[in-house]
Amino acid sequence: MAQISLTFPDGNSRDYAAGVTPAEVAESIASSLAKKAISASVNGAHWDLSWPIEDDAEIAIHTMKDAEPALELIRHDCAHIMARAVQEIWPEVKVTIGPVIENGFYYDFDRAEPFTPEDLGVIEAKMKEIINRRDPVTTEIWERDRAIGFYKANNEPYKVELIESIPGDEPLRMYWHGHWQDLCRGPHLQHTGQVPADAFRLMKVAGAYWRGDSNRPQLQRIYGVAFQNREQLKAHMTFLEEAEKRDHRRLGREMELFHFQEEAPGMVFWHPNGWSIYRELEDYMRRKLTKAGYKEIKTPQVVDRKLWEASGHWDKYRENMYITEIDEEHANEKRTNALKPMNCPCHVQIFNQGIKSYRDLPLRLAEFGSCHRYEAHGALHGLMRVRGFTQDDAHIFCTEDQIEAECARFIDLLSSIYRDTGFSEFDIKLSTRPEIRVGSDEIWDKAESALEKAILSVRNDYEIDPGEGAFYGPKLDFKLTDAIGREWQCGTFQADFNLPGRLDANYIGEDGAKHRPVMLHRAILGSFERFIGIMIENYSGKLPFWLAPRQVVVAAIVSEADDYVQEVTQMLKDAGIRAEADIRNEKINYKVREHSVGKVPVILAIGRKEVEDRTVTLRRLGEKQTSVLPVPQMLDDLTKEAVPPDLR
RNA sequence: GCCGCAGUAGCUCAGUGGUAGAGCGCGUCAUUGGUAAUGACGAGGUCGGGAGUUCAAUCCUCCCCUGCGGCACCA
């Protein structure tokens, strides 16, 4: 029998007979290791203990202490155990797929009746029962026809379809958890008892389309979370509670920032506090853009369909556009307009006015562009997904040769804006040419390498998403990471070789001839609405001083101090600080609590002592200690603190 | 748009086939207090909208709207 050599993580190697399994390897090292082993890495691939190894390889044996493989196996086995539990309770249910996801797993089922939240408890109990049975997990590789025949006989049509879509040369691996069987890539644990029975929980039922296709049957997906032990599960539940506390919809209500109502679904009613944040951010963006060489413009909300037909949007996005018609009785002309769903066609109209020379390029036109899109009902989500929103939009008209420099300038601007708004970390993704596209290969080569070089001029890590570019050009997406580790895609930078041609934009080159400019679509915040939502969640509502809607509340402790409170408040207002006086007939405890809940960063408490000494007692949000300051110093400190980051 | 769940006072929620309740908030009064809730009293509801069943519907049935969790979508 052939010999193979396995190399261990410590660098030592040993010879085994070809076909040896990791379980046997572990046993050869120590029977204690064999008992604890759950899986292995073989040349970096996650390997079931029962799979044979045929060639020389690097191997590492994993135990439950190795978090990554352990979680992967626990979650994957949980998915199978859940599917088994469901079929034990309701044998008519058909199984489909059940992968591992972040923090847990899901499994999609086909069942005529909906699962109810109560069913989840029943399934969970059955799962615990299965875990306690400690049924062995076994695996075999089957021939395609045999597997198809097996699933046909068992009336599992989804499994048949899965097999039919797996390339013919790939082996089909069948797994058994006791008597229950599933088609699965593996690896798995050795028996169901290895799954910790107190570290998983079924979370919710949701609809999901078979193979993610909305034209195909809708299945029922059950989501679960699973961890190595009960403490981790508990920590996860705590994390979810924390995330819920910083939900911008809840904070938006508590801080009186905005609301939504039935008459205008997906459209924001900004309240004074929320609008203050919006305007502060807009002013900041305007300064940043002006300094970065952009010219601000404003274009119409309502534009004739002809322009949308010319740009191609009418054909592609008509169903998501708000169409307006003029009341026939009063109109002396009949025309169909659309509320603009995006700004680019309008920006090209401005570019097209007059004759542009190569000397005008790059021309950077920026607009806080108010757009409307009819988003599907199910897509709406607080400020994060709305139907009326304002983009920090801009289009750079330039030559192919200028793409790289413009992209580098953009990344630079974007980084400083993310830093200033509280996001120090972000990722970049480059999406390259799709199969169906406009523009020559030469121009795609040039543009892709321009974007790539621009990234490399500032950092060396980025992701490539091959074939995911728009049909009109390659793009960069920028994803920022918030305080609790969630990622949000906000910024984008897209080269466009299509629209300038469709809308007949051109410039006169050095050679005196007409040329087509390249158009760069770009946004940093994405939309003000969504970005403010993300900021609220990132800061848990505790916005930095310059953005806080109410920066200071001056609170009287005794009513004798009221006049002085008003005086101090006015001085703050005169200094440009958003300050309010609180001279209500309430105790200081009450006022401190209320303004703390309202996330006011600074409370100035004023009692008899302060009136007498012309001082204030300053308390910062979340801090217990206070400090006594003379008024001029307080004004000086807070005025400095209120300066937006770009003006410091 | 699809699947499931929900909609009762400004907010969070309880409740019943015989037209409603709590806490917080709000108003009035008392209280003048020292850093996360002072007390008393009071006002406040077409029980999301429409239709049906019934002697009677907030409650049961159907349709619609909105929201929530996913899925699909996101120029």
Side-chain angles (χ1 to χ4, degrees), chain A residues 29-71:
Chain A
I29 295 166
S31 61
S32 60
L33 179 64
K35 268 187 204 135
K36 285 190 293 185
I38 52 167
S39 67
S41 282
V42 175
N43 287 335
H46 201 186
W47 208 264
D48 199 290
L49 284 187
S50 69
W51 296 350
I53 305 167
E54 305 292 353
D55 297 298
D56 289 358
E58 290 186 6
I59 184 171
I61 306 287
H62 301 308
T63 69
M64 274 297 178
K65 287 199 174 125
D66 302 312
E68 205 180 305
L71 285 170

Side-chain angles (χ1 to χ4, degrees), chain A residues 230-532:
Chain A
R230 192 167 45 171
E231 288 66 41
Q232 285 177 11
L233 174 66
K234 231 174 127 184
H236 179 72
M237 301 315 284
T238 310
F239 168 83
L240 291 181
E241 279 167 37
E242 288 304 311
E244 200 184 320
K245 275 187 207 152
R246 56 172 79 210
D247 188 313
H248 74 282
R249 292 166 298 187
R250 173 195 182 123
L251 287 166
R253 196 170 42 238
E254 287 172 2
M255 296 169 69
E256 296 177 74
L257 304 179
F258 55 85
H259 85 271
F260 291 92
Q261 66 185 51
E262 248 185 70
E263 288 79 357
M267 315 268 183
V268 190
F269 289 78
W270 286 105
H271 295 206
N273 285 344
W275 191 241
S276 164
I277 302 173
Y278 187 109
R279 283 203 313 161
E280 198 62 49
L281 183 63
E282 183 181 280
D283 291 347
Y284 164 82
M285 288 302 290
R286 182 169 282 128
R287 290 191 301 270
K288 293 291 282 187
L289 288 167
T290 305
K291 275 182 216 161
Y294 289 81
K295 303 283 185 212
E296 187 176 334
I297 56 175
K298 196 78 182 171
T299 61
Q301 290 296 318
V302 179
V303 178
D304 195 296
R305 69 182 270 181
K306 279 183 272 181
L307 182 62
W308 306 112
E309 282 168 352
S311 69
H313 292 102
W314 189 267
D315 270 355
K316 223 173 162 192
Y317 297 109
R318 179 168 155 46
E319 62 196 31
N320 293 312
M321 288 165 71
Y322 284 95
I323 311 296
T324 75
E325 287 193 12
I326 303 162
D327 183 348
E328 265 182 74
E329 257 186 67
H330 304 285
N332 50 13
E333 57 170 0
K334 180 124 174 96
R335 60 157 83 199
T336 306
N337 296 303
L339 253 63
K340 73 171 165 185
M342 57 186 337
N343 309 297
C344 16
C346 292
H347 287 196
V348 178
Q349 304 314 302
I350 290 183
F351 180 85
N352 282 355
Q353 291 293 305
I355 292 171
K356 294 291 177 298
S357 144
Y358 71 94
R359 294 173 194 276
D360 296 319
L361 306 184
L363 181 64
R364 308 184 189 94
L365 298 179
E367 176 173 8
F368 298 130
S370 185
C371 297
H372 291 83
R373 296 179 188 173
Y374 183 77
E375 304 283 5
H377 290 85
L380 301 180
H381 182 92
L383 293 177
M384 303 305 190
R385 190 81 181 268
V386 286
R387 288 181 175 158
F389 56 96
T390 307
Q391 294 176 319
D392 64 316
D393 202 4
H395 295 93
I396 302 169
F397 295 87
C398 65
T399 67
E400 290 159 33
D401 295 332
Q402 290 169 333
I403 297 175
E404 185 187 330
E406 284 306 308
C407 185
R409 282 175 70 113
F410 173 75
I411 296 176
D412 196 48
L413 178 64
L414 170 136
S415 316
S416 75
I417 289 173
Y418 285 173
R419 201 179 324 112
D420 286 350
T421 48
F423 302 98
S424 47
E425 261 184 68
F426 66 89
D427 292 327
I428 308 180
K429 188 176 76 187
L430 168 64
S431 298
T432 57
R433 68 193 79 184
E435 300 232 344
I436 299 167
R437 58 179 182 267
V438 298
S440 64
D441 284 349
E442 292 73 46
I443 194 172
W444 275 89
D445 287 343
K446 205 164 171 177
E448 284 172 2
S449 85
L451 299 193
E452 202 160 6
K453 277 190 215 151
I455 303 173
L456 290 172
S457 68
V458 289
R459 57 158 74 194
N460 47 27
D461 61 313
Y462 64 97
E463 208 184 306
I464 291 193
D465 214 344
E468 285 303 303
F471 75 94
Y472 52 73
K475 64 170 180 176
L476 300 181
D477 287 315
F478 299 84
K479 260 191 301 188
L480 44 81
T481 306
D482 76 9
I484 53 173
R486 297 173 303 183
E487 291 201 318
W488 304 91
Q489 203 239 290
C490 294
T492 183
F493 183 96
Q494 310 181 7
D496 186 344
F497 316 130
N498 178 54
L499 199 59
R502 287 192 77 121
L503 298 178
D504 197 29
N506 49 59
Y507 67 93
I508 309 297
E510 261 177 287
D511 55 2
K514 274 191 185 177
H515 295 273
R516 211 44 103 197
V518 174
M519 203 175 165
L520 305 174
H521 306 254
R522 37 108 301 160
I524 293 171
L525 309 181
S527 93
F528 279 81
E529 288 76 5
R530 180 162 174 273
F531 197 81
I532 290 171

